[in-house]
Amino acid sequence: MESFKNKGKDQDEMRRRRTEVAVELRKNKRDETLLKRRNVPVTDAVDEDGDKEAPVQLDQLIQQAANPDETVQYTAVTAVRKLLSSDRNPPIDPLIQCGILPILVNCLRNTTNPALQFEAAWALTNIASGTSEQTAEVVRANAVPLFLELLHSPHQNVCEQAVWALGNIIGDGPELRDYVISLGMVQPLLNFIQPDIPITFLRNVSWVIVNLCRNKDPPPPPQTLREILPALNVLVHHVDTNVLVDTVWALSYLTDGGTEQIQMVIDSGVLPKLVHLLSHRETKVQTAAVRAVGNIVTGTDDQTQAVLNCDALSHFHILLNHPKEKICKEAVWFLSNVTAGNHVQVQAVIDSQLIPLIITHLDKGEFQTQKEAAWAVSNMTISGNKEQVSYLVL
């Protein structure tokens, strides 16, 4: 029996399988948070009589935006911002082709007119929320260094708009992320995490941190992770659900980067709170938390044990009975990783009375959940000792 069940299935093979399942789950899942966001007002622009504004000629608008008279310029830049904040089909490409980018970037330099800076930053934020090429056009216009300067503006609305714009640029992918990081963006961003920061501003900061952590090919520089993790350890205790969801997803992305990044997260001290969030009242928080701890237990047996030492298994009766099938599937995936560990970890799953619930999902769950349950049982027959396998049979 021992020879049969372990044939070709050593611990390295089991670890490879755990990683393959994680990759498959990621491929089958859309991003939980938006990579880029447009800044759209609650209502469409209207004129003083309450009617919709009439269509404008872009060439004329561009000329007015470049006017040396700041009153004329401000009115025109505001009109450009409103066009780009349209709910449907904002004219990003036509405005770029008409030459709006250098004008807007130049407006960012006008430190004596923060209202103009704000409108220009808002317009550029929405351009950068578009396609990769549109975002690249903003970068090529040399907007990023100016956005970084605006992080130090004495005007909070200007700072927040610069944060939003940088978040869109970082969200385009690891190349632009690393470019923005190389210019010194991380620490000024983290400095905004203060008790008196307005909650809308903090939500933008937490969303940008998610974008900093998201990509893993390549992952963020190790120094960046060392800077970010203490901030995440603060934000993971926040009461605002939006901030909390972003923070936990950031941790899930970091724990998806291999054993070295997993260990950095564990060493940061965030793990007990992360495990506690498995039973959070908000499903969005639970979803992110079970993904994060699931990523951790794809690591080494010691890293898996760190999760179990936080009493993680006590949360899984609720998770395995959750009304959301997605959470049930990820909970079973977590347990399949644990049962691929050592005898002590297999026994912990048995002692927690979770095997009957896994078997229930094997029998009655949706197809993907059944697959994960089958792997949990299979891993147990491979990693467990004779008594543990006998328990499963009985």
Side-chain angles (χ1 to χ4, degrees), residues 12 27 35 37 45 47 61 94 121 158 195 202-204 217 225 236 245 249 272 359 389-390:
D12 288 340
K27 287 181 178 178
L35 295 168
R37 300 192 305 200
D47 63 22
L61 194 59
V158 174
L202 185 60
R203 287 171 181 168
N204 272 333
D217 295 317
L225 300 186
V236 78
V245 168
W249 273 115
I359 299 300
V389 175
S390 297

PDB file of all heavy atoms in Angstrom, residues 12 27 35 37 45 47 61 94 121 158 195 202-204 217 225 236 245 249 272 359 389-390:
ATOM      1  N   ASP A  12       8.005  17.084  -3.260  1.00  0.00           N
ATOM      2  CA  ASP A  12       8.224  18.077  -4.319  1.00  0.00           C
ATOM      3  C   ASP A  12       7.099  18.023  -5.345  1.00  0.00           C
ATOM      4  O   ASP A  12       6.643  19.060  -5.846  1.00  0.00           O
ATOM      5  CB  ASP A  12       9.575  17.828  -5.007  1.00  0.00           C
ATOM      6  CG  ASP A  12      10.743  18.200  -4.115  1.00  0.00           C
ATOM      7  OD1 ASP A  12      10.525  18.987  -3.161  1.00  0.00           O
ATOM      8  OD2 ASP A  12      11.861  17.699  -4.354  1.00  0.00           O
ATOM      9  N   LYS A  27      -6.268  31.746 -13.272  1.00  0.00           N
ATOM     10  CA  LYS A  27      -6.633  31.876 -14.676  1.00  0.00           C
ATOM     11  C   LYS A  27      -8.148  31.880 -14.866  1.00  0.00           C
ATOM     12  O   LYS A  27      -8.659  32.468 -15.806  1.00  0.00           O
ATOM     13  CB  LYS A  27      -6.008  30.743 -15.483  1.00  0.00           C
ATOM     14  CG  LYS A  27      -4.506  30.894 -15.677  1.00  0.00           C
ATOM     15  CD  LYS A  27      -3.940  29.752 -16.505  1.00  0.00           C
ATOM     16  CE  LYS A  27      -2.447  29.946 -16.740  1.00  0.00           C
ATOM     17  NZ  LYS A  27      -1.862  28.820 -17.498  1.00  0.00           N
ATOM     18  N   LEU A  35      -8.192  47.608 -12.411  1.00  0.00           N
ATOM     19  CA  LEU A  35      -6.825  48.063 -12.613  1.00  0.00           C
ATOM     20  C   LEU A  35      -6.769  49.575 -12.783  1.00  0.00           C
ATOM     21  O   LEU A  35      -5.860  50.233 -12.304  1.00  0.00           O
ATOM     22  CB  LEU A  35      -6.239  47.384 -13.852  1.00  0.00           C
ATOM     23  CG  LEU A  35      -6.049  45.874 -13.783  1.00  0.00           C
ATOM     24  CD1 LEU A  35      -5.759  45.331 -15.162  1.00  0.00           C
ATOM     25  CD2 LEU A  35      -4.942  45.530 -12.839  1.00  0.00           C
ATOM     26  N   ARG A  37      -9.285  53.336 -13.108  1.00  0.00           N
ATOM     27  CA  ARG A  37     -10.591  53.905 -12.798  1.00  0.00           C
ATOM     28  C   ARG A  37     -10.669  55.313 -13.378  1.00  0.00           C
ATOM     29  O   ARG A  37      -9.736  56.097 -13.249  1.00  0.00           O
ATOM     30  CB  ARG A  37     -10.824  53.965 -11.286  1.00  0.00           C
ATOM     31  CG  ARG A  37     -10.778  52.615 -10.619  1.00  0.00           C
ATOM     32  CD  ARG A  37     -11.291  52.677  -9.191  1.00  0.00           C
ATOM     33  NE  ARG A  37     -10.594  53.674  -8.388  1.00  0.00           N
ATOM     34  CZ  ARG A  37     -10.594  53.648  -7.057  1.00  0.00           C
ATOM     35  NH1 ARG A  37     -11.218  52.701  -6.411  1.00  0.00           N
ATOM     36  NH2 ARG A  37      -9.954  54.584  -6.379  1.00  0.00           N
ATOM     37  N   ALA A  45     -22.476  67.008 -17.142  1.00  0.00           N
ATOM     38  CA  ALA A  45     -22.304  68.459 -17.129  1.00  0.00           C
ATOM     39  C   ALA A  45     -23.548  69.150 -17.692  1.00  0.00           C
ATOM     40  O   ALA A  45     -24.136  68.710 -18.672  1.00  0.00           O
ATOM     41  CB  ALA A  45     -21.073  68.845 -17.947  1.00  0.00           C
ATOM     42  N   ASP A  47     -25.452  73.245 -18.318  1.00  0.00           N
ATOM     43  CA  ASP A  47     -25.187  74.675 -18.331  1.00  0.00           C
ATOM     44  C   ASP A  47     -26.003  75.359 -17.236  1.00  0.00           C
ATOM     45  O   ASP A  47     -26.693  74.717 -16.442  1.00  0.00           O
ATOM     46  CB  ASP A  47     -25.486  75.268 -19.723  1.00  0.00           C
ATOM     47  CG  ASP A  47     -26.957  75.123 -20.111  1.00  0.00           C
ATOM     48  OD1 ASP A  47     -27.786  74.963 -19.186  1.00  0.00           O
ATOM     49  OD2 ASP A  47     -27.255  75.162 -21.319  1.00  0.00           O
ATOM     50  N   LEU A  61     -11.383  74.399 -28.586  1.00  0.00           N
ATOM     51  CA  LEU A  61     -11.179  74.145 -27.172  1.00  0.00           C
ATOM     52  C   LEU A  61      -9.693  74.032 -26.840  1.00  0.00           C
ATOM     53  O   LEU A  61      -9.224  74.547 -25.818  1.00  0.00           O
ATOM     54  CB  LEU A  61     -11.915  72.863 -26.773  1.00  0.00           C
ATOM     55  CG  LEU A  61     -12.098  72.587 -25.277  1.00  0.00           C
ATOM     56  CD1 LEU A  61     -12.868  73.711 -24.612  1.00  0.00           C
ATOM     57  CD2 LEU A  61     -12.819  71.264 -25.077  1.00  0.00           C
ATOM     58  N   PRO A  94      -9.320  61.612 -29.941  1.00  0.00           N
ATOM     59  CA  PRO A  94      -9.378  62.896 -30.649  1.00  0.00           C
ATOM     60  C   PRO A  94      -8.689  64.028 -29.892  1.00  0.00           C
ATOM     61  O   PRO A  94      -8.002  64.864 -30.501  1.00  0.00           O
ATOM     62  CB  PRO A  94     -10.893  63.156 -30.778  1.00  0.00           C
ATOM     63  CG  PRO A  94     -11.501  61.795 -30.784  1.00  0.00           C
ATOM     64  CD  PRO A  94     -10.666  60.993 -29.839  1.00  0.00           C
ATOM     65  N   ALA A 121      -5.074  67.689 -13.759  1.00  0.00           N
ATOM     66  CA  ALA A 121      -4.767  66.360 -13.224  1.00  0.00           C
ATOM     67  C   ALA A 121      -5.954  65.425 -13.395  1.00  0.00           C
ATOM     68  O   ALA A 121      -5.783  64.236 -13.715  1.00  0.00           O
ATOM     69  CB  ALA A 121      -4.386  66.475 -11.743  1.00  0.00           C
ATOM     70  N   VAL A 158      -5.659  68.320  -4.837  1.00  0.00           N
ATOM     71  CA  VAL A 158      -4.628  68.147  -5.876  1.00  0.00           C
ATOM     72  C   VAL A 158      -3.809  66.894  -5.584  1.00  0.00           C
ATOM     73  O   VAL A 158      -3.531  66.094  -6.490  1.00  0.00           O
ATOM     74  CB  VAL A 158      -3.723  69.397  -5.948  1.00  0.00           C
ATOM     75  CG1 VAL A 158      -2.569  69.166  -6.927  1.00  0.00           C
ATOM     76  CG2 VAL A 158      -4.533  70.625  -6.366  1.00  0.00           C
ATOM     77  N   PRO A 195      -4.319  59.206  10.526  1.00  0.00           N
ATOM     78  CA  PRO A 195      -5.655  59.105  11.131  1.00  0.00           C
ATOM     79  C   PRO A 195      -6.647  60.144  10.633  1.00  0.00           C
ATOM     80  O   PRO A 195      -7.859  59.890  10.603  1.00  0.00           O
ATOM     81  CB  PRO A 195      -5.372  59.288  12.634  1.00  0.00           C
ATOM     82  CG  PRO A 195      -3.941  58.887  12.801  1.00  0.00           C
ATOM     83  CD  PRO A 195      -3.251  59.296  11.537  1.00  0.00           C
ATOM     84  N   LEU A 202      -8.225  57.991   1.497  1.00  0.00           N
ATOM     85  CA  LEU A 202      -7.581  56.752   1.927  1.00  0.00           C
ATOM     86  C   LEU A 202      -7.971  55.579   1.034  1.00  0.00           C
ATOM     87  O   LEU A 202      -7.155  54.697   0.761  1.00  0.00           O
ATOM     88  CB  LEU A 202      -7.950  56.453   3.380  1.00  0.00           C
ATOM     89  CG  LEU A 202      -7.255  55.239   4.004  1.00  0.00           C
ATOM     90  CD1 LEU A 202      -5.736  55.422   3.995  1.00  0.00           C
ATOM     91  CD2 LEU A 202      -7.758  54.996   5.418  1.00  0.00           C
ATOM     92  N   ARG A 203      -9.204  55.569   0.560  1.00  0.00           N
ATOM     93  CA  ARG A 203      -9.623  54.501  -0.363  1.00  0.00           C
ATOM     94  C   ARG A 203      -8.813  54.544  -1.657  1.00  0.00           C
ATOM     95  O   ARG A 203      -8.460  53.503  -2.206  1.00  0.00           O
ATOM     96  CB  ARG A 203     -11.121  54.629  -0.664  1.00  0.00           C
ATOM     97  CG  ARG A 203     -12.020  54.225   0.488  1.00  0.00           C
ATOM     98  CD  ARG A 203     -13.467  54.589   0.208  1.00  0.00           C
ATOM     99  NE  ARG A 203     -14.332  54.236   1.324  1.00  0.00           N
ATOM    100  CZ  ARG A 203     -15.592  54.638   1.443  1.00  0.00           C
ATOM    101  NH1 ARG A 203     -16.137  55.434   0.512  1.00  0.00           N
ATOM    102  NH2 ARG A 203     -16.315  54.259   2.490  1.00  0.00           N
ATOM    103  N   ASN A 204      -8.524  55.754  -2.131  1.00  0.00           N
ATOM    104  CA  ASN A 204      -7.680  55.853  -3.318  1.00  0.00           C
ATOM    105  C   ASN A 204      -6.268  55.370  -3.044  1.00  0.00           C
ATOM    106  O   ASN A 204      -5.644  54.698  -3.873  1.00  0.00           O
ATOM    107  CB  ASN A 204      -7.654  57.300  -3.828  1.00  0.00           C
ATOM    108  CG  ASN A 204      -8.771  57.595  -4.801  1.00  0.00           C
ATOM    109  OD1 ASN A 204      -9.261  56.702  -5.484  1.00  0.00           O
ATOM    110  ND2 ASN A 204      -9.201  58.836  -4.852  1.00  0.00           N
ATOM    111  N   ASP A 217       5.050  39.233 -12.591  1.00  0.00           N
ATOM    112  CA  ASP A 217       5.964  38.876 -13.685  1.00  0.00           C
ATOM    113  C   ASP A 217       6.563  40.136 -14.303  1.00  0.00           C
ATOM    114  O   ASP A 217       6.156  40.549 -15.377  1.00  0.00           O
ATOM    115  CB  ASP A 217       5.235  38.063 -14.762  1.00  0.00           C
ATOM    116  CG  ASP A 217       4.761  36.725 -14.247  1.00  0.00           C
ATOM    117  OD1 ASP A 217       5.540  36.059 -13.536  1.00  0.00           O
ATOM    118  OD2 ASP A 217       3.630  36.345 -14.551  1.00  0.00           O
ATOM    119  N   LEU A 225       8.398  46.102  -1.374  1.00  0.00           N
ATOM    120  CA  LEU A 225       7.583  45.256  -0.498  1.00  0.00           C
ATOM    121  C   LEU A 225       7.899  45.537   0.971  1.00  0.00           C
ATOM    122  O   LEU A 225       6.990  45.564   1.808  1.00  0.00           O
ATOM    123  CB  LEU A 225       7.825  43.781  -0.817  1.00  0.00           C
ATOM    124  CG  LEU A 225       7.502  43.335  -2.244  1.00  0.00           C
ATOM    125  CD1 LEU A 225       7.657  41.825  -2.376  1.00  0.00           C
ATOM    126  CD2 LEU A 225       6.094  43.765  -2.640  1.00  0.00           C
ATOM    127  N   VAL A 236      -4.878  46.790   7.528  1.00  0.00           N
ATOM    128  CA  VAL A 236      -5.658  45.565   7.699  1.00  0.00           C
ATOM    129  C   VAL A 236      -6.535  45.630   8.952  1.00  0.00           C
ATOM    130  O   VAL A 236      -7.444  44.816   9.119  1.00  0.00           O
ATOM    131  CB  VAL A 236      -4.723  44.331   7.737  1.00  0.00           C
ATOM    132  CG1 VAL A 236      -4.060  44.182   9.090  1.00  0.00           C
ATOM    133  CG2 VAL A 236      -5.468  43.070   7.337  1.00  0.00           C
ATOM    134  N   VAL A 245     -10.935  45.598   2.009  1.00  0.00           N
ATOM    135  CA  VAL A 245     -10.929  44.697   0.843  1.00  0.00           C
ATOM    136  C   VAL A 245      -9.669  44.918   0.014  1.00  0.00           C
ATOM    137  O   VAL A 245      -8.985  43.963  -0.387  1.00  0.00           O
ATOM    138  CB  VAL A 245     -12.194  44.912  -0.012  1.00  0.00           C
ATOM    139  CG1 VAL A 245     -12.060  44.198  -1.353  1.00  0.00           C
ATOM    140  CG2 VAL A 245     -13.424  44.389   0.722  1.00  0.00           C
ATOM    141  N   TRP A 249      -6.657  42.160  -0.552  1.00  0.00           N
ATOM    142  CA  TRP A 249      -6.280  41.734  -1.910  1.00  0.00           C
ATOM    143  C   TRP A 249      -4.809  42.039  -2.180  1.00  0.00           C
ATOM    144  O   TRP A 249      -4.120  41.254  -2.842  1.00  0.00           O
ATOM    145  CB  TRP A 249      -7.163  42.409  -2.962  1.00  0.00           C
ATOM    146  CG  TRP A 249      -8.424  41.632  -3.199  1.00  0.00           C
ATOM    147  CD1 TRP A 249      -9.699  42.032  -2.940  1.00  0.00           C
ATOM    148  CD2 TRP A 249      -8.532  40.299  -3.715  1.00  0.00           C
ATOM    149  NE1 TRP A 249     -10.586  41.027  -3.256  1.00  0.00           N
ATOM    150  CE2 TRP A 249      -9.903  39.966  -3.739  1.00  0.00           C
ATOM    151  CE3 TRP A 249      -7.608  39.362  -4.163  1.00  0.00           C
ATOM    152  CZ2 TRP A 249     -10.365  38.725  -4.188  1.00  0.00           C
ATOM    153  CZ3 TRP A 249      -8.064  38.125  -4.604  1.00  0.00           C
ATOM    154  CH2 TRP A 249      -9.423  37.811  -4.627  1.00  0.00           C
ATOM    155  N   PRO A 272      -1.953  36.874  11.921  1.00  0.00           N
ATOM    156  CA  PRO A 272      -3.093  36.646  12.828  1.00  0.00           C
ATOM    157  C   PRO A 272      -4.342  37.430  12.449  1.00  0.00           C
ATOM    158  O   PRO A 272      -5.458  36.896  12.482  1.00  0.00           O
ATOM    159  CB  PRO A 272      -2.534  37.087  14.191  1.00  0.00           C
ATOM    160  CG  PRO A 272      -1.056  36.880  14.075  1.00  0.00           C
ATOM    161  CD  PRO A 272      -0.729  37.242  12.656  1.00  0.00           C
ATOM    162  N   ILE A 359     -15.983  15.794   2.096  1.00  0.00           N
ATOM    163  CA  ILE A 359     -16.670  14.702   1.404  1.00  0.00           C
ATOM    164  C   ILE A 359     -18.026  15.159   0.881  1.00  0.00           C
ATOM    165  O   ILE A 359     -18.447  14.788  -0.220  1.00  0.00           O
ATOM    166  CB  ILE A 359     -16.841  13.494   2.348  1.00  0.00           C
ATOM    167  CG1 ILE A 359     -15.476  12.972   2.808  1.00  0.00           C
ATOM    168  CG2 ILE A 359     -17.624  12.383   1.654  1.00  0.00           C
ATOM    169  CD1 ILE A 359     -14.574  12.513   1.707  1.00  0.00           C
ATOM    170  N   VAL A 389      -5.218   7.471   6.690  1.00  0.00           N
ATOM    171  CA  VAL A 389      -5.872   6.931   5.500  1.00  0.00           C
ATOM    172  C   VAL A 389      -7.022   6.028   5.907  1.00  0.00           C
ATOM    173  O   VAL A 389      -8.102   6.048   5.284  1.00  0.00           O
ATOM    174  CB  VAL A 389      -4.860   6.192   4.602  1.00  0.00           C
ATOM    175  CG1 VAL A 389      -5.575   5.523   3.432  1.00  0.00           C
ATOM    176  CG2 VAL A 389      -3.782   7.147   4.102  1.00  0.00           C
ATOM    177  N   SER A 390      -6.841   5.258   6.958  1.00  0.00           N
ATOM    178  CA  SER A 390      -7.911   4.381   7.451  1.00  0.00           C
ATOM    179  C   SER A 390      -9.104   5.201   7.902  1.00  0.00           C
ATOM    180  O   SER A 390     -10.263   4.840   7.646  1.00  0.00           O
ATOM    181  CB  SER A 390      -7.404   3.520   8.610  1.00  0.00           C
ATOM    182  OG  SER A 390      -6.372   2.662   8.197  1.00  0.00           O
TER     183      SER A 390
END
